[in-house]
Amino acid sequence: MATRFTSRTIATLAATATLAVLPPSAAHATAIGSTPVATFNYQVGGVTMKIPTGCAFTHIIRGGGKRITYQNAGVDCGFVGALNSGFCNWRIDFTYADTNNRTYRTSRGRTHTECKIDPMRNNAPQKLPRYGKACARLVINGVRRVSQCHHITK
């Protein structure tokens, strides 16, 4: 019994010593979140467009610390939502806020006049000056319809 205890102790000390001399690895994180798109109506050229239930707005971030290396947001529709005529006059904005919820940067997407069932946008890598949150927002006809956020923390 003492031999097994001594062997485990030596193995634990050896593993700890090995880990202590290895260089620290960079922290990396991935965050993925989806928010349902609520049903709404809007006008396009005098025609009423209806967005039914069954669509979700998804926001993906990859990076580490205050550095975002990849960011994407878009809409996926299923069931009845996949049968709609799409989203017209849409854009996707990315916003960044500090820990006091004050927005300090916005990457405004261009407005697409065509109707699309699966609007999507990638954003350029970002080096954030402070911790807080990063959000993606879907804007239809100039009205924000849904947003999805991720907290950026130490």
Side-chain angles (χ1 to χ4, degrees):
M1 175 100 109
T3 307
R4 193 174 345 154
F5 176 75
T6 304
S7 297
R8 284 185 184 171
T9 303
I10 291 171
T12 301
L13 290 172
T16 303
T18 302
L19 291 174
V21 296
L22 290 176
S25 62
H28 295 284
T30 297
I32 301 171
S34 292
T35 302
V37 178
T39 299
F40 64 93
N41 296 324
Y42 64 102
Q43 298 285 320
V44 176
V47 175
T48 299
M49 308 292 282
K50 180 179 175 100
I51 301 300
T53 52
C55 296
F57 185 61
T58 301
H59 180 208
I60 302 168
I61 289 182
R62 290 188 195 121
K66 293 184 275 187
R67 185 174 302 277
I68 297 173
T69 57
Y70 173 83
Q71 191 171 195
N72 172 282
V75 178
D76 296 305
C77 294
F79 307 108
V80 176
L83 302 176
N84 79 53
S85 57
F87 298 85
C88 307
N89 298 327
W90 64 272
R91 76 171 195 264
I92 296 174
D93 299 338
F94 293 97
T95 63
Y96 307 91
D98 61 20
T99 54
N100 293 316
N101 209 29
R102 285 188 294 256
T103 299
Y104 61 84
R105 183 184 301 166
T106 298
S107 174
R108 184 180 166 126
R110 82 173 175 87
T111 299
H112 299 263
T113 55
E114 77 277 4
C115 299
K116 194 165 183 184
I117 189 67
D118 59 349
M120 184 181 300
R121 178 179 173 217
N122 290 321
N123 199 28
Q126 303 285 314
K127 175 69 171 124
L128 305 179
R130 49 189 85 79
Y131 291 103
K133 66 180 178 179
C135 299
R137 297 177 174 167
L138 176 66
V139 178
I140 307 293
N141 258 4
V143 177
R144 183 175 68 186
R145 295 297 180 168
V146 64
S147 62
Q148 208 291 320
C149 300
H150 297 290
H151 291 277
I152 311 292
T153 60
K154 285 184 181 183

